[in-house]
Amino acid sequence: MTISDKRSRLRLLTAGAMLAISALAVSACSSASDSGNGSGSSESSSAESAGESSTRTVSTENGDIEIPAEPKKVVVLNNALAGYAYHLDLPVAATVPESVGKPGEPGQFWKDDAEKNGTEYLPWSNDGFDLESILATEPDLIIAGGIGFPYRHATQQYKDLSEIAPTIVVPDSLDTWQKQYEFLANAVGKPEVYQDAVKTYEDKVTEVRDKITPPPAPVAYLMFSGKDKTLVANDEVGYPTTLKEVGLEPAPLKASGKFEPYGGSGDALTISSEQITQELTMPTLFVLGFNKDVTSVDQLKNDPVYSNLPAFKDGHAYDLPYWINRPDYDEALGTLDLVEKMFS
């Protein structure tokens, strides 16, 4: 069956479901709920008039859409967004594995939520989401987008996804956990959940900053991809800026202009073998994977390229898990917990 045939079949299968949804919307008792705005973007959400309503109007980069005020089955087409959905008390019927080719496993911080919801894992590939498996889940709300492949697929398949169920696409311009969480919290009418999370996080930053004795500064973050690429973190965005708040002052690698951005990513820079010995002379280095754990300080100690770096020779090279890169809210808190244990 061609892609065109599959899409034609999808439209026929979903026609009845969409008519039923429209009938429910027309017969609903009217009016509206709260409003909210996505952080760092022009997206906003608003409800319609007063009293109770069966739907909410959400403004997205794909226009205004109607979503259920209280969805019964939610499909989240980005594993990195699932944690927010659970915190927002959404019934997550299904999500996708963390990466293409990986088995479907719950995130380490939301295993209990996934079990409680009976969350399933839908297949996806480099070519896109499996529309038939999504349709079979019978969602009344789809959450998609975020950063990387999930956003690209959501954009390319938006028309088909929206024919299955109302689809909220989180813009890829919302590139921090704060922006993503706020956008989704406002979209489903629960801004106070996000606000409470921010308070918890800020309190944790203060606690860690007061408890730890930071390693010698400045620090740099050496990352390894699964494709034998050696990278350093862009110190001007992401977790290096977060950890700066607790006393881990990053080396200004981005401002030096010596490193090229990695692919379309704004949070990683490519470093050559020659640059490793010439530029990574800072007293402290952290080692981590880019998309998965692929190496460790102990392994690198056997390689003279790394073992002769000042941080390795002086005992200030430390492991960090790959998931601190592009963290969600729970992973951001988890990163602070790790740093507190390492340097208290």
Side-chain angles (χ1 to χ4, degrees):
M1 182 181 290
T2 67
I3 292 176
S4 178
D5 289 336
K6 285 184 178 180
R7 287 178 175 169
S8 295
R9 179 185 175 193
L10 176 66
R11 292 186 180 101
L12 287 171
L13 288 170
T14 56
M18 295 305 293
L19 285 171
I21 290 171
S22 297
L24 284 173
V26 169
S27 63
C29 297
S30 85
S31 298
S33 61
D34 308 344
S35 64
N37 292 296
S39 171
S41 72
S42 61
E43 284 76 20
S44 64
S45 63
S46 64
E48 315 225 330
S49 67
E52 293 189 3
S53 174
S54 63
T55 64
R56 290 177 53 79
T57 302
V58 182
S59 294
T60 75
E61 62 182 14
N62 294 296
D64 288 354
I65 63 172
E66 293 290 321
I67 70 169
E70 296 184 4
K72 304 302 181 186
K73 273 191 174 183
V74 179
V75 167
V76 181
L77 296 177
N78 185 341
N79 192 277
L81 301 177
Y84 308 128
Y86 290 120
H87 280 298
L88 293 166
D89 201 26
L90 298 176
V92 181
T95 185
V96 293
E98 182 178 17
S99 299
V100 170
K102 281 195 172 185
E105 296 178 349
Q108 62 175 321
F109 295 105
W110 42 265
K111 288 181 180 179
D112 292 343
D113 291 308
E115 183 176 348
K116 177 182 176 182
N117 281 262
T119 304
E120 300 177 3
Y121 300 91
L122 306 180
W124 69 307
S125 70
N126 289 332
D127 296 324
F129 301 118
D130 186 310
L131 298 173
E132 290 189 355
S133 68
I134 298 169
L135 178 63
T137 308
E138 299 182 339
D140 58 355
L141 177 64
I142 296 172
I143 293 174
I147 298 174
F149 269 161
Y151 177 78
R152 187 186 76 179
H153 292 343
T155 301
Q156 293 175 343
Q157 296 179 282
Y158 178 77
K159 183 177 180 181
D160 289 326
L161 292 172
S162 63
E163 288 179 349
I164 297 174
T167 300
I168 298 174
V169 176
V170 177
D172 65 349
S173 59
L174 305 185
D175 54 3
T176 66
W177 72 260
Q178 291 94 333
K179 293 175 183 178
Q180 292 177 344
Y181 200 168
E182 183 178 25
F183 175 83
L184 287 173
N186 287 336
V188 300
K190 298 180 180 180
E192 71 284 353
V193 176
Y194 167 71
Q195 292 159 6
D196 289 344
V198 170
K199 177 65 166 57
T200 298
Y201 178 78
E202 291 176 346
D203 289 346
K204 185 65 179 179
V205 168
T206 301
E207 175 190 329
V208 174
R209 185 172 60 239
D210 292 344
K211 282 187 175 181
I212 71 170
T213 301
V219 309
Y221 301 88
L222 183 62
M223 300 189 291
F224 296 85
S225 78
K227 299 179 180 179
D228 298 323
K229 290 284 186 181
T230 306
L231 313 165
V232 287
N234 178 352
D235 52 283
E236 295 180 359
V237 299
Y239 65 88
T241 61
T242 297
L243 295 181
K244 180 179 179 180
E245 296 178 9
V246 300
L248 303 183
E249 185 67 33
L253 300 181
K254 179 66 165 60
S256 73
K258 298 177 180 179
F259 308 95
E260 294 295 324
Y262 173 58
S265 167
D267 50 11
L269 309 169
T270 302
I271 184 169
S272 67
S273 299
E274 294 77 16
Q275 287 177 312
I276 290 172
T277 55
Q278 295 170 2
E279 305 295 338
L280 296 187
T281 57
M282 58 284 303
T284 299
L285 284 173
F286 291 93
V287 173
L288 64 151
F290 185 62
N291 289 317
K292 59 182 177 180
D293 291 324
V294 294
T295 191
S296 67
V297 169
D298 282 343
Q299 290 174 293
L300 295 179
K301 283 179 179 176
N302 298 318
D303 186 331
V305 172
Y306 300 101
S307 62
N308 288 317
L309 295 175
F312 279 79
K313 292 170 69 174
D314 297 337
H316 290 298
Y318 307 95
D319 289 313
L320 286 173
Y322 78 94
W323 48 258
I324 78 163
N325 189 40
R326 302 175 181 173
D328 66 7
Y329 167 67
D330 292 303
E331 289 166 342
L333 284 177
T335 301
L336 293 175
D337 286 334
L338 284 175
V339 170
E340 182 178 355
K341 290 177 183 177
M342 292 169 73
F343 301 113
S344 289

